[in-house]
Amino acid sequence: MTDFSSKIVIPTPAAMAQATEDGMLAKATKPWFEMFLLSLTGGAYIALGFLFFVTSQQGLGAPFPVGPAKVLGGVVFSVGLMLVVISGSDLFTGTTMTVMPLLSKRLGVGRFLGHWGVAIVGNFIGSVLVALLVLWAGTPSSNKSAWGLVVLNTTLAKVSLTWGHAFFLAVLANFAVCLAVWMANSGRSTADKILAIVGPIALFVASGFEHSVANMFMLPMGWLIKNFAPDTFWAGEAITKAGKTAADFDAITPGAIFFDNLIPVILGNIVGGAVFVGIYFWACYIRPAQRAKALEAAGAHAAR
């Protein structure tokens, strides 16, 4: 006979808010070296997701519909966040929600900022290591250089954004990413968490929003291809058919990568995650619960 007493119960939104705050506090108070190691894989796993995205976009020009191509890219990219969430890795865009325990005065400012710094550095190193492995594996030359051409075109488009566009696209990206993490926290199985992640991530990627950690892979990958791809890459059919040469991608420079994209995107991601999700849900659920508890304690004290 089925035992319905063991039925899984999805937590209420208020309980999820508290669970998210507790989870963010646990991440921010890990030993520094452990935090760094988990940040390395956070960057590496998002890089793998973007690698999958690039692979899915090869040759998807006319007459293939643009919308379905973008949605396909978003769905396959979501594998990156699935790996991050299930493995417990540390992703800077998600760590923006550590503002919740900060507001509850459970986390000091120094530890709060230190966690963000470690996450950014670790994510960047992990992302670039994957980019180097991809370059050394010769993947950019695959499918007659079509793979590398997708990276170059995407990188060029990203470094060509204005600061305003990059910032607001980043706000929207991390709004979606943190909502994906939030919903994944309600999952009670691996399948639940995966299903919760796919929709918001496909939404942000298909819409062309900007994610700082994803760009920590894509932009260095584009720069590496531009500067270190062999002559056989530039002689590939996809490159020659498109009429492209290395000179067409001269705008892809370290300065453009950092100052024209990563800085405004990191700032936008902070607003999208910390303000639109972390502070918002803290104000909706955590703060009222704290006030109610304080009032109850005051009433109990007065009754003595």
Side-chain angles (χ1 to χ4, degrees):
M1 186 168 58
T2 303
D3 180 10
F4 290 103
S5 64
S6 62
K7 184 172 65 176
I8 294 174
V9 178
I10 301 301
T12 64
M16 283 176 58
Q18 188 61 60
T20 300
E21 179 178 307
D22 293 343
M24 291 296 105
L25 179 64
K27 281 184 174 291
T29 53
K30 287 183 182 295
W32 292 111
F33 186 62
E34 182 181 340
M35 187 189 298
F36 175 70
L37 290 178
L38 290 171
S39 297
L40 289 177
T41 52
Y45 293 157
I46 292 298
L48 291 177
F50 220 151
L51 193 160
F52 200 2
F53 165 88
V54 172
T55 300
S56 76
Q57 300 300 291
Q58 296 173 94
L60 288 184
F64 196 89
V66 173
K70 290 179 176 291
V71 171
L72 172 64
V75 170
V76 300
F77 178 85
S78 67
V79 169
L81 189 62
M82 292 175 198
L83 293 170
V84 170
V85 169
I86 302 302
S87 70
S89 294
D90 215 344
L91 189 65
F92 167 68
T93 46
T95 68
T96 58
M97 291 191 290
T98 51
V99 71
M100 297 176 74
L102 178 71
L103 290 171
S104 294
K105 298 181 181 180
R106 301 170 69 193
L107 184 66
V109 174
R111 188 77 186 193
F112 169 77
L113 294 176
H115 180 215
W116 278 18
V118 169
I120 290 174
V121 172
N123 286 173
F124 183 78
I125 293 172
S127 299
V128 172
L129 285 174
V130 172
L132 287 168
L133 290 172
V134 170
L135 180 74
W136 295 333
T139 303
S141 298
S142 64
N143 296 328
K144 302 176 182 179
S145 301
W147 199 95
L149 181 60
V150 172
V151 174
L152 289 168
N153 286 334
T154 303
T155 302
L156 183 62
K158 287 179 176 293
V159 299
S160 300
L161 292 169
T162 66
W163 257 59
H165 285 155
F167 175 83
F168 288 110
L169 288 169
V171 171
L172 291 165
N174 210 30
F175 186 23
V177 170
C178 287
L179 287 175
V181 172
W182 185 278
M183 292 200 303
N185 287 341
S186 72
R188 291 299 174 262
S189 71
T190 301
D192 293 343
K193 294 178 181 294
I194 288 173
L195 186 60
I197 288 168
V198 173
I201 301 306
L203 182 158
F204 108 70
V205 176
S207 301
F209 301 155
E210 291 289 305
H211 186 271
S212 57
V213 183
N215 290 356
M216 289 176 189
F217 165 75
M218 180 59 80
L219 304 187
M221 186 80 256
W223 182 81
L224 287 169
I225 293 172
K226 188 199 80 168
N227 290 283
F228 300 104
D231 291 340
T232 52
F233 168 79
W234 296 104
E237 182 180 320
I239 297 289
T240 56
K241 187 176 180 180
K244 300 292 185 179
T245 66
D248 292 306
F249 302 100
D250 282 346
I252 302 174
T253 65
I257 288 170
F258 285 99
F259 298 108
D260 295 338
N261 187 276
L262 286 182
I263 290 177
V265 170
I266 286 172
L267 294 175
N269 284 170
I270 290 171
V271 173
V275 179
F276 284 20
V277 181
I279 293 175
Y280 176 82
F281 283 121
W282 184 87
C284 287
Y285 298 116
I286 303 294
R287 181 56 177 158
Q290 290 175 344
R291 285 177 174 172
K293 188 175 181 180
L295 288 172
E296 182 181 349
H301 180 75
R304 290 176 184 173

